[in-house]
Amino acid sequence: MNTNSHSESYKAAGVDVTAGYRAVELMKEHVRRTRTPLVLDSIGGFGGLMALDLGETPNPVLVSGTDGVGTKLKLAFLADKHDTVGIDCVAMCANDVLCVGAKPLFFLDYIACGKNVPERIAQIVSGVAEGCVQSACALVGGETAEMPGFYPEDEYDLAGFCVGVVNKDKILDKESVRPGDVILGLASSGVHSNGFSLVRKVFDIRRENLPALTAYDEKLGKSLLDALLTPTRIYVQSVLPLLTQVNVRSICHITGGGFYENIPRALPAGVSASIQKSSYAVPPIFRKIQAAGDIPERDMYNTFNMGLGLCVIVPREEAGKALTILEKQGELAWKVGEVISGGEGVELW
């Protein structure tokens, strides 16, 4: 740790550079968990270095994705629980990269805070590291910015980006999707990291209501706050093997905008998705949100993942094989619909 760099003037303005050094020391153990043989440097430099092994990827294309956690962070502040939102951050990026058919290589995070509390920063990074482990990618660097007067002392924002690689001839192309193809839905772990502005409004999530939010809910099997903080499921290590064994046409990550916004992004012009709502069981957390806010069903499917975090489109004759592979990889998956000619993006019935 750097013991020579300190500025009393800067500290008096609200920025403690020594706290930043302490945070880096505390997070190093978490970063080490994500290290892969291709990582060339250790954390603390001006840039993260990673070699490219092109043996299995003779015609490589780099794929990048970036995202944040959004207002789900407000729940982490309320619960004073900071070790899971990093998983959400990685998931939002790595799952997007996966939709192109790419394998995530590395991740970098950005944490902006009102006050650098090293132990809290280390907790956040522990979640980021766990997300990287689940994505089989390396955490090669990041940035922590202490911004007094911009953020409250006990709040922060978290974002990041992921870079993956795919062979050019293996890039998933939605133009290959055909009428009659089957849509498989992979179970989500809950609300994931979208729609929390609505969630916060529906449940009036604020400190005064903490006792009700932390009370055990029999239908959820945990408190409402714990259910909502469940981190986003990462599908990378389950779906990558599928890509080598099945002719996957297209993949979509169900994020903000729900079914109506995301599924059409995985479809070419001239076709639409016909989704059977009764083909799987919608988790109780979504019914609780809907009932508490008196939210129309269409709005639910246009905001939340409704229990499906990822949809994979495959030829009809390979659907059974695909489901078997996904189940062997530990995924709960269903045949939830099919691709049809015409229509307007998504039809739910």
Side-chain angles (χ1 to χ4, degrees), residues 253-263 300-305:
H253 186 198
I254 309 298
T255 56
F259 285 43
Y260 287 101
E261 181 174 321
N262 291 288
I263 294 179
M300 291 295 296
Y301 281 92
N302 208 158
T303 306
F304 302 107
N305 68 62

Side-chain angles (χ1 to χ4, degrees), residues 185-238:
L186 280 63
S188 69
S189 56
V191 182
H192 284 183
S193 193
N194 303 104
F196 274 86
S197 293
L198 178 56
V199 166
R200 288 167 45 237
K201 177 183 178 182
V202 163
F203 293 119
D204 193 17
I205 292 179
R206 49 196 173 95
R207 190 161 302 280
E208 293 86 339
N209 294 331
L210 194 57
L213 296 170
T214 55
Y216 181 81
D217 186 300
E218 188 172 341
K219 289 186 178 179
L220 299 177
K222 58 184 73 174
S223 73
L224 175 61
L225 190 57
D226 284 342
L228 292 170
L229 277 172
T230 301
T232 304
R233 186 163 181 80
I234 296 175
Y235 300 96
V236 171
Q237 297 198 62
S238 299

Side-chain angles (χ1 to χ4, degrees), residues 2-328:
N2 191 334
T3 58
N4 191 43
S5 174
H6 58 86
S7 170
E8 292 301 319
S9 298
Y10 207 7
K11 185 175 181 180
V15 178
D16 185 356
V17 294
T18 59
Y21 303 140
R22 170 66 176 159
V24 169
E25 289 300 313
L26 291 175
M27 69 177 71
K28 280 184 176 179
E29 63 178 287
H30 304 299
V31 176
R32 277 193 289 268
R33 295 180 56 214
T34 76
R35 192 174 180 87
T36 68
L38 298 180
V39 176
L40 299 183
D41 70 333
S42 61
I43 192 168
F46 288 96
L49 304 179
M50 188 164 191
L52 277 177
D53 181 359
L54 304 182
E56 296 181 0
T57 316
N59 197 6
V61 175
L62 294 179
V63 181
S64 58
T66 186
D67 210 336
V69 181
T71 63
K72 184 175 185 176
L73 290 175
K74 286 285 191 180
L75 280 71
F77 305 155
L78 189 61
D80 194 21
K81 181 174 175 57
H82 310 285
D83 60 349
T84 61
V85 289
I87 301 175
D88 288 296
C89 191
V90 176
M92 299 306 293
C93 301
N95 286 341
D96 277 357
V97 165
L98 178 66
C99 290
V100 186
K103 174 184 177 180
L105 291 175
F106 61 85
F107 186 86
L108 285 90
D109 61 58
Y110 175 78
I111 304 168
C113 58
K115 181 178 177 59
N116 189 332
V117 180
E119 292 75 15
R120 184 169 61 203
I121 298 297
Q123 287 182 45
I124 298 168
V125 174
S126 75
V128 175
E130 175 58 29
C132 287
V133 169
Q134 293 182 24
S135 304
C137 71
L139 177 57
V140 297
E143 174 69 12
T144 301
E146 191 171 17
M147 301 169 63
F150 195 89
Y151 293 97
E153 285 195 358
D154 59 349
E155 294 191 3
Y156 56 85
D157 198 6
L158 173 62
F161 75 92
C162 178
V163 174
V165 65
V166 60
N167 210 49
K168 190 172 183 179
D169 63 358
K170 297 295 184 181
I171 296 173
L172 296 183
D173 182 4
K174 67 180 182 180
E175 297 301 325
S176 68
V177 173
R178 299 287 180 267
D181 286 347
V182 168
I183 303 171
L184 307 178
L186 280 63
S188 69
S189 56
V191 182
H192 284 183
S193 193
N194 303 104
F196 274 86
S197 293
L198 178 56
V199 166
R200 288 167 45 237
K201 177 183 178 182
V202 163
F203 293 119
D204 193 17
I205 292 179
R206 49 196 173 95
R207 190 161 302 280
E208 293 86 339
N209 294 331
L210 194 57
L213 296 170
T214 55
Y216 181 81
D217 186 300
E218 188 172 341
K219 289 186 178 179
L220 299 177
K222 58 184 73 174
S223 73
L224 175 61
L225 190 57
D226 284 342
L228 292 170
L229 277 172
T230 301
T232 304
R233 186 163 181 80
I234 296 175
Y235 300 96
V236 171
Q237 297 198 62
S238 299
V239 173
L240 284 178
L242 183 70
L243 294 174
T244 66
Q245 301 175 62
V246 172
N247 178 22
V248 175
R249 308 270 209 205
S250 189
I251 300 176
C252 65
H253 186 198
I254 309 298
T255 56
F259 285 43
Y260 287 101
E261 181 174 321
N262 291 288
I263 294 179
R265 296 169 63 185
L267 301 173
V271 303
S272 59
S274 176
I275 304 293
Q276 184 179 356
K277 292 182 290 185
S278 62
S279 59
Y280 71 100
V282 174
I285 185 63
F286 296 103
R287 298 306 185 201
K288 190 174 184 69
I289 293 169
Q290 184 175 11
D294 192 23
I295 301 171
E297 188 171 62
R298 192 191 188 286
D299 286 357
M300 291 295 296
Y301 281 92
N302 208 158
T303 306
F304 302 107
N305 68 62
M306 298 302 286
L308 301 182
L310 203 75
C311 285
V312 178
I313 302 175
V314 299
R316 181 175 298 277
E317 62 272 16
E318 296 194 63
K321 179 181 179 182
L323 284 172
T324 298
I325 293 169
L326 289 169
E327 289 166 2
K328 286 183 178 179

